[in-house]
mmCIF file of all heavy atoms in Angstrom:
data_model
loop_
_atom_site.group_PDB
_atom_site.id
_atom_site.type_symbol
_atom_site.label_atom_id
_atom_site.label_comp_id
_atom_site.label_asym_id
_atom_site.label_seq_id
_atom_site.Cartn_x
_atom_site.Cartn_y
_atom_site.Cartn_z
ATOM 1 N N GLN D 251 -28.338 3.356 -6.645
ATOM 2 C CA GLN D 251 -28.390 2.687 -7.963
ATOM 3 C C GLN D 251 -26.963 1.979 -8.212
ATOM 4 O O GLN D 251 -25.968 2.662 -8.068
ATOM 5 C CB GLN D 251 -28.658 3.701 -9.059
ATOM 6 C CG GLN D 251 -28.685 3.189 -10.480
ATOM 7 C CD GLN D 251 -29.780 2.330 -10.844
ATOM 8 O OE1 GLN D 251 -29.794 1.148 -10.625
ATOM 9 N NE2 GLN D 251 -30.901 2.946 -11.412
ATOM 10 N N PHE D 274 -29.563 -3.105 -13.662
ATOM 11 C CA PHE D 274 -29.503 -1.984 -12.730
ATOM 12 C C PHE D 274 -30.405 -2.333 -11.578
ATOM 13 O O PHE D 274 -31.396 -3.004 -11.831
ATOM 14 C CB PHE D 274 -29.820 -0.694 -13.398
ATOM 15 C CG PHE D 274 -30.919 -0.748 -14.402
ATOM 16 C CD1 PHE D 274 -32.310 -0.431 -13.945
ATOM 17 C CD2 PHE D 274 -30.746 -1.166 -15.678
ATOM 18 C CE1 PHE D 274 -33.259 -0.424 -14.827
ATOM 19 C CE2 PHE D 274 -31.855 -1.176 -16.558
ATOM 20 C CZ PHE D 274 -33.120 -0.799 -16.155
ATOM 21 N N ASP D 276 -32.170 -0.141 -9.480
ATOM 22 C CA ASP D 276 -33.329 0.699 -9.241
ATOM 23 C C ASP D 276 -33.965 0.994 -10.549
ATOM 24 O O ASP D 276 -33.404 1.566 -11.437
ATOM 25 C CB ASP D 276 -32.819 2.025 -8.540
ATOM 26 C CG ASP D 276 -33.939 2.940 -8.188
ATOM 27 O OD1 ASP D 276 -35.064 2.703 -8.639
ATOM 28 O OD2 ASP D 276 -33.654 3.886 -7.454
ATOM 29 N N SER D 277 -35.273 0.645 -10.654
ATOM 30 C CA SER D 277 -35.912 0.769 -11.950
ATOM 31 C C SER D 277 -36.369 2.232 -12.232
ATOM 32 O O SER D 277 -36.863 2.497 -13.292
ATOM 33 C CB SER D 277 -37.123 -0.145 -11.984
ATOM 34 O OG SER D 277 -38.082 0.218 -11.008
ATOM 35 N N ALA D 278 -36.143 3.138 -11.302
ATOM 36 C CA ALA D 278 -36.552 4.502 -11.461
ATOM 37 C C ALA D 278 -35.501 5.210 -12.369
ATOM 38 O O ALA D 278 -34.688 6.151 -11.823
ATOM 39 C CB ALA D 278 -36.686 5.217 -10.162
ATOM 40 N N ILE D 279 -35.505 4.943 -13.718
ATOM 41 C CA ILE D 279 -34.574 5.499 -14.507
ATOM 42 C C ILE D 279 -35.247 6.374 -15.570
ATOM 43 O O ILE D 279 -36.408 6.054 -15.934
ATOM 44 C CB ILE D 279 -33.616 4.519 -15.213
ATOM 45 C CG1 ILE D 279 -34.468 3.656 -16.144
ATOM 46 C CG2 ILE D 279 -32.855 3.690 -14.196
ATOM 47 C CD1 ILE D 279 -33.583 2.761 -17.079
ATOM 48 N N TYR D 280 -34.624 7.439 -16.005
ATOM 49 C CA TYR D 280 -35.192 8.251 -17.129
ATOM 50 C C TYR D 280 -34.871 7.758 -18.487
ATOM 51 O O TYR D 280 -35.694 7.703 -19.341
ATOM 52 C CB TYR D 280 -34.589 9.764 -16.892
ATOM 53 C CG TYR D 280 -35.167 10.764 -17.855
ATOM 54 C CD1 TYR D 280 -36.344 11.379 -17.543
ATOM 55 C CD2 TYR D 280 -34.536 11.169 -19.002
ATOM 56 C CE1 TYR D 280 -36.977 12.312 -18.369
ATOM 57 C CE2 TYR D 280 -35.035 12.126 -19.788
ATOM 58 C CZ TYR D 280 -36.259 12.707 -19.451
ATOM 59 O OH TYR D 280 -36.755 13.565 -20.321
ATOM 60 N N ASN D 281 -33.590 7.268 -18.620
ATOM 61 C CA ASN D 281 -33.208 6.670 -19.791
ATOM 62 C C ASN D 281 -31.984 5.791 -19.595
ATOM 63 O O ASN D 281 -31.338 5.799 -18.493
ATOM 64 C CB ASN D 281 -32.937 7.616 -21.005
ATOM 65 C CG ASN D 281 -31.841 8.686 -20.737
ATOM 66 O OD1 ASN D 281 -30.871 8.419 -20.068
ATOM 67 N ND2 ASN D 281 -32.127 9.860 -21.212
ATOM 68 N N LEU D 282 -31.506 5.076 -20.650
ATOM 69 C CA LEU D 282 -30.252 4.231 -20.503
ATOM 70 C C LEU D 282 -29.559 4.422 -21.795
ATOM 71 O O LEU D 282 -30.102 4.505 -22.935
ATOM 72 C CB LEU D 282 -30.624 2.789 -20.340
ATOM 73 C CG LEU D 282 -29.544 1.792 -20.197
ATOM 74 C CD1 LEU D 282 -29.880 0.698 -19.287
ATOM 75 C CD2 LEU D 282 -29.080 1.215 -21.599
ATOM 76 N N ILE D 299 -31.933 4.787 -25.054
ATOM 77 C CA ILE D 299 -33.333 4.356 -24.914
ATOM 78 C C ILE D 299 -34.053 5.021 -23.804
ATOM 79 O O ILE D 299 -33.580 5.071 -22.602
ATOM 80 C CB ILE D 299 -33.295 2.793 -24.609
ATOM 81 C CG1 ILE D 299 -32.433 1.985 -25.561
ATOM 82 C CG2 ILE D 299 -34.701 2.254 -24.690
ATOM 83 C CD1 ILE D 299 -32.368 0.571 -25.146
ATOM 84 N N GLN D 300 -35.098 5.626 -24.141
ATOM 85 C CA GLN D 300 -35.941 6.396 -23.099
ATOM 86 C C GLN D 300 -36.636 5.287 -22.349
ATOM 87 O O GLN D 300 -36.869 4.219 -22.803
ATOM 88 C CB GLN D 300 -36.898 7.292 -23.794
ATOM 89 C CG GLN D 300 -36.293 8.373 -24.622
ATOM 90 C CD GLN D 300 -35.397 9.371 -23.866
ATOM 91 O OE1 GLN D 300 -35.507 9.447 -22.669
ATOM 92 N NE2 GLN D 300 -34.621 10.085 -24.585
ATOM 93 N N SER D 301 -37.061 5.670 -21.070
ATOM 94 C CA SER D 301 -37.650 4.611 -20.175
ATOM 95 C C SER D 301 -38.974 4.123 -20.737
ATOM 96 O O SER D 301 -39.415 3.001 -20.442
ATOM 97 C CB SER D 301 -37.940 5.298 -18.818
ATOM 98 O OG SER D 301 -38.760 6.333 -18.917
ATOM 99 N N SER D 302 -39.551 4.921 -21.621
ATOM 100 C CA SER D 302 -40.862 4.438 -22.236
ATOM 101 C C SER D 302 -40.631 3.602 -23.450
ATOM 102 O O SER D 302 -41.682 3.045 -23.946
ATOM 103 C CB SER D 302 -41.712 5.625 -22.598
ATOM 104 O OG SER D 302 -40.992 6.484 -23.588
ATOM 105 N N LEU D 315 -34.504 -2.726 -23.602
ATOM 106 C CA LEU D 315 -34.689 -2.139 -22.270
ATOM 107 C C LEU D 315 -35.960 -2.905 -21.647
ATOM 108 O O LEU D 315 -37.080 -2.777 -22.187
ATOM 109 C CB LEU D 315 -34.817 -0.662 -22.199
ATOM 110 C CG LEU D 315 -35.121 -0.125 -20.785
ATOM 111 C CD1 LEU D 315 -33.999 -0.361 -19.809
ATOM 112 C CD2 LEU D 315 -35.347 1.421 -20.928
ATOM 113 N N LYS D 317 -37.357 -2.143 -18.214
ATOM 114 C CA LYS D 317 -37.208 -1.329 -17.053
ATOM 115 C C LYS D 317 -37.679 -2.007 -15.761
ATOM 116 O O LYS D 317 -36.975 -1.934 -14.749
ATOM 117 C CB LYS D 317 -37.990 -0.035 -17.277
ATOM 118 C CG LYS D 317 -37.786 1.037 -16.220
ATOM 119 C CD LYS D 317 -38.651 2.234 -16.475
ATOM 120 C CE LYS D 317 -38.780 3.160 -15.297
ATOM 121 N NZ LYS D 317 -39.633 4.232 -15.510
ATOM 122 N N VAL D 341 -27.118 4.614 -16.803
ATOM 123 C CA VAL D 341 -28.526 4.960 -16.562
ATOM 124 C C VAL D 341 -28.562 6.462 -15.994
ATOM 125 O O VAL D 341 -27.626 6.826 -15.359
ATOM 126 C CB VAL D 341 -29.260 3.997 -15.602
ATOM 127 C CG1 VAL D 341 -29.238 2.560 -16.154
ATOM 128 C CG2 VAL D 341 -28.570 4.001 -14.224
ATOM 129 N N ARG D 342 -29.573 7.116 -16.393
ATOM 130 C CA ARG D 342 -29.799 8.433 -15.877
ATOM 131 C C ARG D 342 -31.003 8.220 -14.915
ATOM 132 O O ARG D 342 -32.050 7.828 -15.323
ATOM 133 C CB ARG D 342 -30.168 9.437 -16.919
ATOM 134 C CG ARG D 342 -30.383 10.834 -16.432
ATOM 135 C CD ARG D 342 -31.112 11.738 -17.297
ATOM 136 N NE ARG D 342 -31.745 12.751 -16.475
ATOM 137 C CZ ARG D 342 -32.815 13.570 -16.954
ATOM 138 N NH1 ARG D 342 -33.200 13.439 -18.157
ATOM 139 N NH2 ARG D 342 -33.208 14.427 -16.097
ATOM 140 N N PRO D 343 -30.870 8.576 -13.632
ATOM 141 C CA PRO D 343 -31.850 8.399 -12.671
ATOM 142 C C PRO D 343 -33.070 9.257 -12.987
ATOM 143 O O PRO D 343 -32.886 10.346 -13.577
ATOM 144 C CB PRO D 343 -31.210 8.806 -11.351
ATOM 145 C CG PRO D 343 -29.668 8.720 -11.566
ATOM 146 C CD PRO D 343 -29.560 8.993 -13.014
ATOM 147 N N GLU D 344 -34.263 8.808 -12.560
ATOM 148 C CA GLU D 344 -35.507 9.571 -12.759
ATOM 149 C C GLU D 344 -35.600 10.734 -11.908
ATOM 150 O O GLU D 344 -36.109 11.769 -12.325
ATOM 151 C CB GLU D 344 -36.602 8.570 -12.452
ATOM 152 C CG GLU D 344 -37.986 8.945 -13.045
ATOM 153 C CD GLU D 344 -38.939 7.796 -12.812
ATOM 154 O OE1 GLU D 344 -39.424 7.659 -11.799
ATOM 155 O OE2 GLU D 344 -39.201 6.991 -13.861
ATOM 156 N N TYR D 345 -34.939 10.746 -10.757
ATOM 157 C CA TYR D 345 -35.112 11.800 -9.797
ATOM 158 C C TYR D 345 -33.998 12.809 -10.163
ATOM 159 O O TYR D 345 -33.087 12.574 -10.945
ATOM 160 C CB TYR D 345 -34.877 11.349 -8.393
ATOM 161 C CG TYR D 345 -33.656 10.457 -8.169
ATOM 162 C CD1 TYR D 345 -32.390 11.099 -7.945
ATOM 163 C CD2 TYR D 345 -33.738 9.070 -8.268
ATOM 164 C CE1 TYR D 345 -31.307 10.268 -7.819
ATOM 165 C CE2 TYR D 345 -32.649 8.300 -8.112
ATOM 166 C CZ TYR D 345 -31.388 8.922 -7.975
ATOM 167 O OH TYR D 345 -30.313 8.023 -7.770
#
Side-chain angles (χ1 to χ4, degrees):
Chain D
Q251 177 73 273
F274 45 95
D276 187 345
S277 62
I279 65 168
Y280 186 81
N281 60 35
L282 181 146
I299 311 177
Q300 302 295 345
S301 62
S302 58
L315 174 64
K317 184 180 164 184
V341 300
R342 186 201 151 194
E344 202 170 77
Y345 52 84

